Amino acid sequence: MKTKQIRISKSKVISCIKCGIEREVLVLYTKSGKPMREEKTQFCKSCATSYSNRGLSLVDEYLQEQFSYYNPKAPYILKCDCGTEQTYTTKYSLVRVLRTTGKCGKCSLGMEREKWTLSEDDAKTRRLNSYNYVYKTNYTSVDQLPEPKELSRYKDKCQRMSQTNLKRERPNDYRLYQENKWDGTHLGQLSIDHIKPLHECFEEGWSVRQASDISNLQLLTMKDNILKEQPNSVFVK
């Protein structure tokens, strides 16, 4: 039996990419924080209705302005500056990419992403309130929240694929990792670290393949790995 996906609604102010008028919309998010159907709100109702009444497609016009090669029939292609052609099953997916990085998946990994605009405390408060609301719990700190099963499965898949990618793409590093693999006894032993942490990849909706890409992998000692996530950690000799 398929589990019903839990949705959380939040209001958000966005600008129509046709007329520029700002408006408040209600966006649905999955439990993990990934937006659902948000891309279809890129145009205001007035602009969309105006074009629809004339039998025109506002989305097609927008994409044709961006790409001289755009074809209104699927599959929808993005020609990245690196020479890669990436295809999408819906034109709205192509709009979403243009409104974020404008790059293929691999190039997007190497870009510096926009940082969270809320303070760390505000972000934690929102996460805590959302969790308590959905699950009818009374946790008082985000540190008390259990790790979602979806995130745990996601991390397991990423770890397995990351080892495979390291072995294939950087065999010397993989050999070094196998010879000095952390076994829980010495913090100087090596671990495969994800430059962009897996929990952030999960929250931003990255696929397992994206999160495990070789460009997102590095070898760190377990001590450095811990300090990366928890800079104030103290180690007892």
Side-chain angles (χ1 to χ4, degrees):
M1 182 176 178
K2 187 176 181 180
T3 304
K4 187 176 181 181
Q5 198 169 34
I6 297 175
R7 300 177 182 181
I8 304 171
S9 60
K10 299 179 184 178
S11 43
K12 179 180 180 180
V13 177
I14 62 174
S15 300
C16 173
I17 59 178
K18 178 62 180 177
C19 66
I21 295 177
E22 291 186 344
R23 68 201 188 282
E24 187 176 58
V25 297
L26 195 64
V27 181
L28 295 178
Y29 292 82
T30 64
K31 184 175 63 175
S32 64
K34 183 178 180 181
M36 303 171 62
R37 299 194 299 276
E38 180 184 7
E39 64 272 12
K40 293 188 180 181
T41 64
Q42 298 292 349
F43 303 98
C44 68
K45 186 176 181 180
S46 176
C47 288
T49 301
S50 174
Y51 271 68
S52 178
N53 289 340
R54 288 180 288 161
L56 302 174
S57 170
L58 189 53
V59 180
D60 284 339
E61 180 184 277
Y62 171 74
L63 291 173
Q64 284 169 346
E65 290 175 352
Q66 307 302 314
F67 306 118
S68 59
Y69 58 81
Y70 173 71
N71 187 334
K73 294 184 179 180
Y76 306 101
I77 300 173
L78 170 70
K79 294 183 179 180
C80 184
D81 294 338
C82 71
T84 300
E85 289 190 5
Q86 190 158 336
T87 59
Y88 299 88
T89 55
T90 70
K91 60 186 71 177
Y92 294 103
S93 297
L94 188 52
V95 170
R96 185 185 65 240
V97 171
L98 287 177
R99 298 289 287 170
T100 52
T101 64
K103 305 289 185 180
C104 67
K106 188 170 184 179
C107 288
S108 296
L109 286 171
M111 295 177 66
E112 182 177 355
R113 292 180 170 250
E114 183 180 356
K115 293 182 174 58
W116 184 249
T117 54
L118 292 176
S119 68
E120 184 178 356
D121 288 340
D122 286 341
K124 288 182 177 180
T125 299
R126 289 194 175 195
R127 180 186 170 195
L128 179 65
N129 291 341
S130 296
Y131 191 94
N132 283 335
Y133 174 79
V134 171
Y135 293 102
K136 311 301 180 186
T137 52
N138 295 300
Y139 291 113
T140 58
S141 169
V142 292
D143 295 331
Q144 299 172 343
L145 301 182
E147 185 174 272
K149 292 182 179 179
E150 293 89 344
L151 176 56
S152 180
R153 287 195 292 266
Y154 176 84
K155 285 184 175 180
D156 288 343
K157 290 180 180 179
C158 287
Q159 294 290 358
R160 291 195 296 271
M161 183 173 286
S162 295
Q163 287 199 42
T164 300
N165 289 344
L166 187 68
K167 183 178 182 180
R168 182 180 65 248
E169 303 289 340
R170 297 207 297 260
N172 290 338
D173 282 354
Y174 181 77
R175 189 178 306 110
L176 180 64
Y177 165 70
Q178 287 294 326
E179 292 172 353
N180 300 274
K181 186 176 181 180
W182 185 67
D183 59 6
T185 62
H186 194 282
L187 291 175
Q189 293 171 323
L190 296 175
S191 65
I192 298 176
D193 174 67
H194 295 81
I195 298 171
K196 186 177 186 68
L198 291 180
H199 67 88
E200 291 185 13
C201 295
F202 180 80
E203 289 168 359
E204 294 184 18
W206 286 25
S207 68
V208 171
R209 186 176 297 277
Q210 284 178 300
S212 308
D213 188 87
I214 194 65
S215 63
N216 196 40
L217 304 181
Q218 63 180 348
L219 291 184
L220 287 181
T221 64
M222 183 51 65
K223 182 177 181 179
D224 288 339
N225 200 334
I226 294 172
L227 288 173
K228 177 187 171 186
E229 293 295 319
Q230 303 174 38
N232 297 323
S233 297
V234 177
F235 302 94
V236 179
K237 294 183 179 180

